[in-house]
Amino acid sequence: MAVNARLYAKANPKVLIFFKEVGEYHHTVTPTAINAIIKLGEQNAFDVDTTTNAENFTEENLKQYSAVIFLNTEGDVLEDDQQEIFKGYINHGGGFVGIHSATDTEFEWNWYGRLVGAYYKNHPDVQAATLKIVDPNQLSTQGLPLVWKRTDEWYNFGWYNDDIKFLVVIEEGSYAGGRNGGEHPISWYHSFDGGRAFYTAMGHTEESYAEPLFLKHILGGIEYAMGKKANNQSNAR
């Protein structure tokens, strides 16, 4: 008797892109970023859903996702009950990816600040700068040049979670307007409250999402949040 292989095929892990912005400013790059992440999913065997509707933050809905991506979120994007549900999702092993203005989000929710790892303060104009890879062995930095020169909008941060593990730092002497001094992180990750979190401040420009190295960085962060290990083992939910 013939066996239908499709009946036994393992379903792809799924991620949810959440891109709600509360306030006057809206990132015009977001549709480009969404399309780029969808393409990464098609190329790397994960599925992508998208929403700006915080009512999708229910326990039943979130449990289907291996990671939730806060893409250019801004302001107070979740109600109190939705915050508790999202916290429970992380507590039960969920993954979080923050891209760019995810650190300009939920300033009054301390737990979220510790999850994303920092809070945005301000930024200079878009310009070229020099980055250094601190940890070349994490999924999001494997294969990147140890000295990485690129153009983007470079965030200054007003507060950091001391528990984050730096991945990429920016040389403040290589551009104008850096205000964090010393080691100024631009990307990091950490295990947090039962789950996994990755953040990159990069990704403001349209050009970013056509850069193979930046897309490699984003892909590795998503894979880490989904539960993939550096040795290519996966424990995605």
Side-chain angles (χ1 to χ4, degrees):
M1 186 174 93
V3 176
N4 187 343
R6 290 185 179 181
L7 295 177
Y8 298 93
K10 186 177 179 180
N12 286 342
K14 294 174 66 176
V15 301
L16 176 65
I17 299 177
F18 182 52
F19 58 106
K20 181 178 179 180
E21 293 183 88
V22 177
E24 295 181 0
Y25 182 80
H26 293 275
H27 287 84
T28 59
V29 72
T30 298
T32 300
I34 289 172
N35 289 335
I37 294 170
I38 289 172
K39 187 174 181 180
L40 287 175
E42 292 170 348
Q43 295 170 339
N44 296 277
F46 62 88
D47 296 331
V48 180
D49 291 339
T50 69
T51 189
T52 59
N53 187 356
E55 292 182 3
N56 286 316
F57 279 66
T58 67
E59 184 176 348
E60 187 63 27
N61 190 48
L62 290 186
K63 69 171 57 174
Q64 67 181 303
Y65 297 109
S66 297
V68 176
I69 302 171
F70 277 47
L71 171 64
N72 288 334
T73 52
E74 258 190 280
D76 188 5
V77 294
L78 297 177
E79 301 293 338
D80 290 350
D81 57 337
Q82 296 157 352
Q83 291 178 359
E84 286 303 310
I85 289 167
F86 184 55
K87 182 176 181 293
Y89 165 79
I90 296 296
N91 293 160
H92 287 89
F96 170 83
V97 172
I99 298 176
H100 197 51
S101 64
T103 48
D104 194 13
T105 301
E106 294 289 353
F107 280 87
E108 303 301 320
W109 184 18
N110 180 263
W111 181 90
Y112 176 83
R114 290 183 288 124
L115 170 73
V116 71
Y119 278 127
Y120 161 84
K121 184 175 183 180
N122 53 40
H123 65 79
D125 292 337
V126 172
Q127 59 192 292
T130 300
L131 308 174
K132 288 188 175 181
I133 307 302
V134 176
D135 179 356
N137 299 314
Q138 210 263 357
L139 284 168
S140 68
T141 53
Q142 287 180 350
L144 297 182
L146 295 180
V147 177
W148 187 15
K149 297 181 179 181
R150 61 183 308 273
T151 298
D152 214 319
E153 183 179 76
W154 305 113
Y155 276 5
N156 295 310
F157 299 98
W159 172 86
Y160 293 107
N161 181 348
D162 290 339
D163 293 334
I164 60 176
K165 298 178 180 179
F166 293 1
L167 291 166
V168 184
V169 299
I170 190 166
E171 289 189 8
E172 289 201 347
S174 69
Y175 73 109
R179 296 291 182 267
N180 285 123
E183 285 196 310
H184 180 162
I186 288 296
S187 178
W188 54 78
Y189 77 108
H190 62 147
S191 298
F192 179 75
D193 211 13
R196 301 165 302 278
F198 163 84
Y199 172 77
T200 183
M202 294 180 271
H204 176 79
T205 67
E206 294 277 343
E207 293 80 5
S208 294
Y209 296 93
E211 291 179 35
L213 291 177
F214 177 70
L215 292 173
K216 183 178 182 67
H217 177 56
I218 291 291
L219 174 62
I222 293 171
E223 290 180 331
Y224 164 74
M226 288 195 299
K228 188 174 181 180
K229 303 295 187 182
N231 61 3
N232 294 320
Q233 297 293 315
S234 176
N235 64 350
R237 297 164 76 244

